[in-house]
Amino acid sequence: MIDLKLLRDNPELVRASQRTRGEDEGLVDQLLEADSRRRDAIAAADNARSEQKSFSKDMGKQMKTASEEEKVALREEGKKKAERVKELEAEQNAAEQAVYDLQMQLSNVVEDGAPAGGEDDFVVLEHVGTPPEFDFEPKDHLELGESLGLIDMKRGTKVSGARFYFLTGDGALLQLGMLQLAAQKATAAGFKLMIPPVLVRPEVMAGTGFLGAHADEIYHLEEDDLYLVGTSEVALAGYHSDEIIDLSAGALRYAGWSSCFRREAGSYGKDTRGIIRVHQFDKLEMFVYCKPEEAQEQHQKLLQMEKEMLAAVEVPYRVIDVAGGDLGSSAARKFDTEAWVPTQNTYRELTSTSNCTTFQGRRLKTRYRDENGKAQTVATLNGTLATTRWLVAILENNQQADGSVVVPEALRPFVGKDVLTPR
């Protein structure tokens, strides 16, 4: 939800943001008109209430000396004024709802410098590491996972359907080790580790911006009216909803470890092999509450955390600046890190970090007090520090000619092996 004051003061900035996203800039003028009607409705209702209050005060005095006929007239006039107040209050409520509905449709204002365009219009910021050159035909992660006894897709499909899987034996240890390493790095950097709920209320899901264009990606339990999260960002964003938090000692930083669920609607036939695009996975997600003026600095810190974690698991990757049309409604700026996947001869997304500015804070009514004690809306940011998909890059980049996979040194204490060998 964008700031209405920003909209009034600089509507062209919001229009330009909509163009960068490839979204309807007509929403800006619709919201401006709705906001004008809302302010007029508020003024009219306030005036009517003031008139009613003043009339009631005078009426009390006049009733003492009025004739019966005059008293009837005064009562009738008082009734009319009360009805008028109710009528104008209803108009005010309708006008406020119209503004709210339009605000919920308008995406966050894109940060200056983010590239325009869609999914393919990202800008590569840097490459880190060198893709391996094999003197043998490399196997993909699923073939490696099956031969090493790490992944069982067939039984996952038997038990739960397509795009489900079992991580077995060393595969389970590899994921747990990766997430444990991420948790250790996060806590060492001052993040509070959290294991949040994976079911959330509709208002929390909507507050984070996930019930818009991509609502069909989310599992909904109709009987309980609860949503399964696709990221622990949702629960962590709702953690301080309707609160005034203390940022006097600096940003609040959390790291949420959870299972995540995505319907992957509309992706049929895409990445169906292996564990690149699945319905359930585990993830450690960083989440930050800070003052708006600190958000860009915090964003760079999250990106640096991701880069350090990728270095620890020894995969080559690149960092991209995501284009406006691919940001998602909440993000003002997003950086993705993409690891090299040898058998696909391309880079694939492993992490993303987003600066959501005050968009989520405004929706979820999360505020802090400034140096003058005045309540202000917080900024929120998020970033992935490890997730199941990382196993794809770890396995493929560290494979050897005999079908074995070298375990990255940082993960060996958790796995208990230096090399994973075929069964």
Side-chain angles (χ1 to χ4, degrees):
M1 184 181 292
I2 71 166
D3 185 355
L4 286 176
K5 185 177 185 304
L6 172 67
L7 179 76
R8 296 185 206 114
D9 292 346
N10 199 345
E12 184 51 39
L13 176 68
V14 187
R15 291 191 191 98
S17 172
Q18 289 292 94
R19 289 194 294 271
T20 297
R21 288 179 174 276
E23 296 180 4
D24 182 14
E25 60 182 292
L27 279 173
V28 176
D29 292 314
Q30 292 177 42
L31 183 51
L32 283 169
E33 291 169 7
D35 181 50
S36 178
R37 289 194 296 271
R38 178 187 68 89
R39 286 185 289 162
D40 288 345
I42 291 172
D46 285 345
N47 288 336
R49 281 189 290 268
S50 179
E51 286 181 13
Q52 183 193 25
K53 185 176 180 181
S54 178
F55 177 82
S56 296
K57 201 172 184 180
D58 291 341
M59 178 181 168
K61 296 176 182 177
Q62 294 179 45
M63 290 289 280
K64 293 178 181 179
T65 57
S67 65
E68 284 303 315
E69 186 177 346
E70 289 171 334
K71 287 179 180 178
V72 170
L74 285 168
R75 291 191 187 100
E76 187 62 29
E77 182 66 17
K79 183 179 179 182
K80 288 180 180 178
K81 290 190 179 298
E83 290 173 349
R84 181 58 177 163
V85 167
K86 287 183 180 179
E87 179 184 320
L88 290 174
E89 285 179 340
E91 291 178 8
Q92 177 185 335
N93 290 337
E96 288 177 338
Q97 185 63 47
V99 167
Y100 177 80
D101 290 344
L102 285 167
Q103 271 188 291
M104 293 295 278
Q105 293 178 45
L106 200 63
S107 298
N108 201 358
V109 177
V110 176
E111 185 180 305
D112 185 39
E119 183 178 357
D120 298 326
D121 297 308
F122 58 84
V123 173
V124 178
L125 300 179
E126 64 175 319
H127 286 86
V128 179
T130 303
E133 294 184 6
F134 300 113
D135 57 4
F136 58 91
E137 185 67 28
K139 298 177 180 179
D140 74 8
H141 73 280
L142 182 57
E143 187 177 357
L144 288 166
E146 289 176 338
S147 66
L148 295 168
L150 312 178
I151 303 170
D152 192 333
M153 296 293 300
K154 291 179 182 178
R155 290 187 176 90
T157 301
K158 178 178 71 174
V159 169
S160 302
R163 304 203 188 200
F164 286 94
Y165 56 94
F166 284 86
L167 292 181
T168 57
D170 291 334
L173 290 174
L174 196 60
Q175 172 167 287
L176 288 171
M178 177 179 61
L179 291 167
Q180 184 66 39
L181 179 64
Q184 290 177 356
K185 286 185 174 295
T187 53
F191 287 78
K192 179 184 285 188
L193 187 62
M194 310 277 272
I195 298 179
V198 296
L199 287 165
V200 300
R201 297 176 183 272
E203 58 268 26
V204 175
M205 187 64 79
T208 49
F210 285 97
L211 289 185
H214 300 290
D216 60 352
E217 287 286 338
I218 303 167
Y219 286 103
H220 181 219
L221 281 65
E222 292 187 11
E223 188 171 338
D224 302 290
D225 197 18
L226 292 171
Y227 290 89
L228 278 166
V229 299
T231 167
S232 59
E233 168 196 345
V234 179
L236 295 177
Y239 188 64
H240 286 302
S241 60
D242 295 304
E243 294 181 20
I244 297 179
I245 60 178
D246 184 5
L247 296 181
S248 59
L252 297 183
R253 305 202 293 173
Y254 301 106
W257 181 334
S258 74
S259 291
C260 304
F261 306 87
R262 295 183 184 174
R263 292 185 62 242
E264 293 295 347
S267 65
Y268 301 106
K270 185 178 181 182
D271 293 327
T272 56
R273 181 172 169 80
I275 59 172
I276 289 180
R277 194 184 294 269
V278 290
H279 292 308
Q280 178 182 338
F281 53 95
D282 284 357
K283 183 154 68 93
L284 191 106
E285 185 78 0
M286 301 176 289
F287 194 86
V288 176
Y289 293 91
C290 68
K291 298 176 182 178
E293 61 270 23
E294 299 170 352
Q296 290 188 12
E297 180 185 359
Q298 290 291 336
H299 200 191
Q300 290 298 320
K301 288 181 177 179
L302 291 180
L303 178 59
Q304 185 59 37
M305 289 281 294
E306 292 177 343
K307 291 167 66 176
E308 290 174 4
M309 184 65 189
L310 284 166
V313 298
E314 301 175 25
V315 295
Y317 67 93
R318 70 181 183 183
V319 181
I320 67 169
D321 195 350
V322 177
D326 198 31
L327 285 176
S329 64
S330 298
R333 189 79 174 268
K334 181 165 75 168
F335 303 115
D336 283 356
T337 58
E338 301 180 328
W340 179 255
V341 179
T343 59
Q344 296 188 12
N345 198 38
T346 191
Y347 289 91
R348 300 300 302 267
E349 179 195 335
L350 290 195
T351 77
S352 67
T353 176
S354 298
N355 178 4
C356 296
T357 63
T358 59
F359 188 84
Q360 294 176 334
R362 187 166 284 105
R363 286 178 169 221
L364 291 166
K365 300 176 183 175
T366 307
R367 298 176 294 167
Y368 71 99
R369 295 199 183 279
D370 63 18
E371 60 275 8
N372 299 315
K374 184 178 179 181
Q376 305 284 0
T377 304
V378 301
T380 61
L381 303 97
N382 63 80
T384 303
L385 200 54
T387 188
T388 300
R389 186 185 285 191
W390 287 34
L391 298 180
V392 174
I394 291 172
L395 293 175
E396 292 204 17
N397 282 285
N398 291 286
Q399 65 180 295
Q400 301 185 103
D402 63 357
S404 64
V405 171
V406 177
V407 178
E409 187 174 351
L411 298 181
R412 292 173 190 173
F414 304 102
V415 179
K417 296 178 181 178
D418 294 353
V419 180
L420 304 177
T421 56
R423 293 182 297 178

